[in-house]
Amino acid sequence: MFKSIRWKITIIFVLLVLVAEILIGFFNLIGVASHYHREFSNSIDKVFTEEIKNDLLAAANEITVPTIQEGDLSTVIQESSLNNISMINDILASHSGSLGITASRFYCIIDGSLGNVIQSSDGTTNVEKTPSLTEALNGTESRETRINKMYMDYAFPLMNGDTVKYVVYVKDNCHQQNAVTKALIDILLVSLVLSLVISLIFGTIISKSITVPIQQLALHARKLADGDITALQKSDSKDEIGNLTNSLIQLAQTRKISSEQAMGEKIKVETILQNMNDGILAFDMKGNLIHYNRESKKLLKRRYFDDIKFDRFFKEINAGITLGDLLYMQPEGSVEREVKLSNQYLRLNFATFKMDNKIGGIIVVIHDITKQEKLEKSRRDFVANVSHELRTPLTTIKSYSETLADMPDVDRELQVRFLDVIASESDRMARIISDLLTLSELDENQTYIKTPEKIDVRKMLESIVERMSLTAKKKNQKLTYRPTNEVPVIMGDYDVLERAIINVVSNALKYTSDGGEIKVYSSKVYNDICIKVVDNGIGIQEDKLPHIFDRFYRVDKARSRDTGGTGLGLAIAKQSLESSFGGKIKISSEFHKGTEVTITIPCKQ
Ligand code: ADP
C-alpha cells in the first residue's frame, strides 16, 4: 500500500509538517529559555550598577554606635552587624521590583565567613553552594546564566579589606520558566497532533489531486497499449500531466499509423505466402515451427503442424539435414534437398533469415517437382522404349539377312519366307516411326491444321464398321454399329477422328478372341457426341488401366507385337482427340470379360 505514489506523497507531506512543527517547538522553547536568561542578566546589570555596589559595600562596612551603651563589646558588634545587614537588605529590597523578585526568584545575604543565609527575601534559610556562590565567597563576583542550567544566579561579595564580609546572592530557580516551557510543550503537543491530523487530511487530498490524473492516465495508457486509441481525450491543461496526456495521444497516433502500415505489410506478405504454389515453413533458432502456409500442409500431407521440430521432422522425411548443419556450416546462402513422400517428389530449399542483424531462424521453401520428375522419367522411358522397339525388328532383319547371305544355296521358298519376315519387320519399323512422327507433331502442336470440314459421325462410323467387317469376319467376330439417337454434324478434321476411331475398333478386334462380339454405339448426350466401342474380349487388369494411354504401354507385349501393335495407338488417339476436337477418351474394362472405350466430343466445335 505504501509503495503507491499517493501514500508516498502523503507521508512526505506529514513528515514535512512534523519536522516543521518540531523545529518551531524547539526554537520556541529555546526562545523562552533565552528570554528568561536574558531578562535575568538584564535585571542584574540594571540593579547592580557600580553606584549600588558601592552603596552595598558601604552599607556592609558602616560601623554604627548604639545609642544605649549597655552590655559587653560582643553585643555592640552584633548590634552593629545587624544594622549593616538591615541596610543591605533595605538597598536590595528597594530594588526587588527591578530584580524581578517573585516566587521563583529570591535574593539573600550570606555570611562571608560562615556561608550561611543571614537574611533572605522569601525566608530562605539555606542555599545550595553553586559555583557562582563559591566564587563570591572567595571574593569574586560571579553569575550563571547559561540556558542549559536549571537555575540562574548572581553572587556579589561585599569585601571588608581582603575578607569577604557578606555575599549578596540572587537566585532564580527557573520555576516560572519551567512552567511556561511546560505549558508551551503541552500546546506544542496538542498542535502537533492537530497538525498531524490536518496534514494527513491535506496530504491525502493533495496527493489524490496528483495521483488520480496519473492513475487515469496509466489506465488509458494501458487501453492505448491494447489498441484503443479513443481511450485518451486531448487535454487542455497546461500542466505536466496535460502535456504528458497530449504526448501520449501523439505517440499512440504515430504508433497506430506505423502499426497499421506494419499490419498492411504483414497481411500483404501473409496473402502472398498463403497463395503461393510453393510451401513455406519457418523455424526459429530452437527448431520450433513459427510459420507455415496452406500449401506446405498440402505438400507435406499433414493436417496439423503443432508438434513439428526441425531435426525430428526432416529426419522423418529423410531430408538428411539438421538445424546444426544449416546454422553453423551454411549460415549464408541456401541448401537444396530432394525428398520423396509416397508418390510425390519435393524439392526443399533451406535458407537462414536475419532478425536484428543476427540469424533469426530457417526458411524452408517446398516445391512440388513431381511433374518434372515424371516428365523426366517418361522422357527416359520413352527413349528406352523407342530404342527397344526399333532394336527388336532391326535385330530380326539383321539376323534374317545375315542368314540369307550365309546360305547362298537356300531354296526359293525359304528365301521368300525370310524376305517376307524382313519386309514385315521393316513395315513395323516404318509404322513405329510414322506413329512417333505423328506424336511428335502433336507434342509440338505442329499438326497441319486443315480448314474444318463437316463430319457426319454416323456416316463415318458406318463406313469404318463396313471396312473393318472383313477383318472381323476372318476371326469369326461379330462387328455391329448401333446408333442410339441422331447425332449432329460436327466441324473438324475428318482424318484425325477417323484414325482415332479406327484405332479403338481395331484394338477391340485385336484383343477379342475368335467368335467374339464388338459393338459400336453413337449417341448425343446433352451437348456431347458419345462414341462407344464395346467388346467381350480379353479385358484389362484394373491395375494396368491407369497406364493404358502411356506411350509404348502394352498390357501383353508379346500379343501386341504379334498383332502388329506399336503401343502408340491409344496415346495418339487421346492426344489428337484432345488437341483437334477438345474431346476425351476413356477406357473401362473387366479382365477376361471385355472392354469399353468411350470417345466424347463436344458438339460446339
Ligand atoms: P497397341 O498398338 O499395342 O494396340 P495401343 O496403344 O492401341 O497399342 O493399346 C495399348 C494397349 O492397350 C494394348 O497393347 C493392349 O494391351 C491394351 N488394349 C487396348 N485396347 C484393348 C482392348 N479393347 N481390349 C484389351 N486390351 C486392349
Side-chain angles (χ1 to χ4, degrees), residues 162-353:
D162 284 342
T163 55
V164 177
K165 197 172 179 187
Y166 304 109
V167 171
V168 172
Y169 184 63
V170 184
K171 188 174 183 184
D172 193 315
N173 290 320
C174 293
H175 289 328
Q176 201 179 345
Q177 181 200 325
N178 289 345
V180 172
T181 308
K182 194 175 167 301
L184 197 65
I185 288 173
D186 289 346
I187 293 167
L188 280 172
L189 280 176
V190 171
S191 70
L192 192 70
V193 172
L194 273 176
S195 57
L196 263 182
V197 172
I198 292 168
S199 64
L200 199 67
I201 295 167
F202 275 100
T204 315
I205 293 169
I206 291 170
S207 66
K208 210 173 163 188
S209 73
I210 297 170
T211 54
V212 166
I214 294 177
Q215 277 172 346
Q216 279 175 350
L217 198 64
L219 187 81
H220 292 153
R222 231 169 288 141
K223 282 189 187 171
L224 274 185
D226 293 342
D228 182 6
I229 195 166
T230 55
L232 271 183
Q233 298 297 322
K234 208 167 190 294
S235 172
D236 294 330
S237 165
K238 292 276 177 275
D239 65 5
E240 287 83 350
I241 293 178
N243 287 341
L244 185 62
T245 309
N246 293 339
S247 306
L248 264 179
I249 293 173
Q250 213 177 337
L251 179 77
Q253 280 167 347
T254 324
R255 218 195 90 173
K256 192 179 175 234
I257 293 168
S258 49
S259 73
E260 275 172 1
Q261 281 170 347
M263 185 57 78
E265 284 301 311
K266 199 178 163 228
I267 291 171
K268 226 191 287 175
V269 172
E270 190 66 25
T271 314
I272 294 171
L273 283 181
Q274 290 302 341
N275 292 295
M276 268 173 79
N277 282 336
D278 290 339
I280 301 280
L281 298 178
F283 293 86
D284 65 11
M285 292 290 283
K286 287 181 186 159
N288 298 315
L289 183 71
I290 50 173
H291 199 91
Y292 58 86
N293 66 352
R294 270 196 302 267
E295 197 61 24
S296 59
K297 272 187 175 180
K298 231 195 299 176
L299 291 175
L300 294 168
K301 297 192 168 42
R302 287 182 79 113
R303 288 175 71 190
Y304 304 106
F305 265 154
D306 303 339
D307 55 340
I308 282 205
K309 281 267 182 190
F310 189 95
D311 285 355
R312 200 177 57 209
F313 178 68
F314 289 107
K315 193 178 170 195
E316 247 173 51
I317 63 169
N318 294 321
I321 197 159
T322 66
L323 195 65
D325 297 344
L326 283 163
L327 296 180
Y328 305 110
M329 287 155 63
Q330 294 279 349
E332 304 288 335
S334 72
V335 177
E336 196 178 285
R337 292 282 186 277
E338 278 179 19
V339 293
K340 188 170 183 262
L341 285 185
S342 52
N343 55 354
Q344 200 178 17
Y345 292 87
L346 301 177
R347 182 183 297 136
L348 312 175
N349 282 87
F350 298 83
T352 54
F353 63 86

Side-chain angles (χ1 to χ4, degrees), residues 507 510-511 535 540 548 553-555 560 565-567 569-570 595:
N507 273 352
K510 271 195 286 183
Y511 303 108
D535 65 58
I540 305 163
I548 217 79
Y553 186 82
R554 283 168 295 195
V555 179
S560 165
T566 59
L570 284 178
T595 304

Side-chain angles (χ1 to χ4, degrees), residues 371-388:
K371 264 190 198 160
Q372 277 162 262
E373 266 309 301
K374 280 191 177 158
L375 215 68
E376 187 61 23
K377 187 177 175 298
S378 65
R379 194 187 59 80
R380 283 193 302 267
D381 290 353
F382 182 73
V383 172
N385 281 332
V386 170
S387 327
H388 179 77

Side-chain angles (χ1 to χ4, degrees), residues 559-579:
R559 185 194 279 259
S560 165
R561 208 166 283 127
D562 289 349
T563 53
T566 59
L568 293 170
L570 284 178
I572 292 172
K574 182 174 171 14
Q575 204 154 338
S576 59
L577 281 171
E578 279 173 4
S579 59

Side-chain angles (χ1 to χ4, degrees), residues 435 503-512 533-535 537-540 547-557 559-561 563-573 587 589 594-597:
D435 281 355
N503 211 308
V504 173
V505 178
S506 76
N507 273 352
L509 297 175
K510 271 195 286 183
Y511 303 108
T512 300
V533 180
V534 183
D535 65 58
I538 58 170
I540 305 163
H547 307 285
I548 217 79
F549 295 103
D550 291 354
R551 293 168 190 192
F552 290 113
Y553 186 82
R554 283 168 295 195
V555 179
D556 184 343
K557 280 204 164 75
R559 185 194 279 259
S560 165
R561 208 166 283 127
T563 53
T566 59
L568 293 170
L570 284 178
I572 292 172
I587 190 157
S589 183
T595 304
E596 181 180 306
V597 181

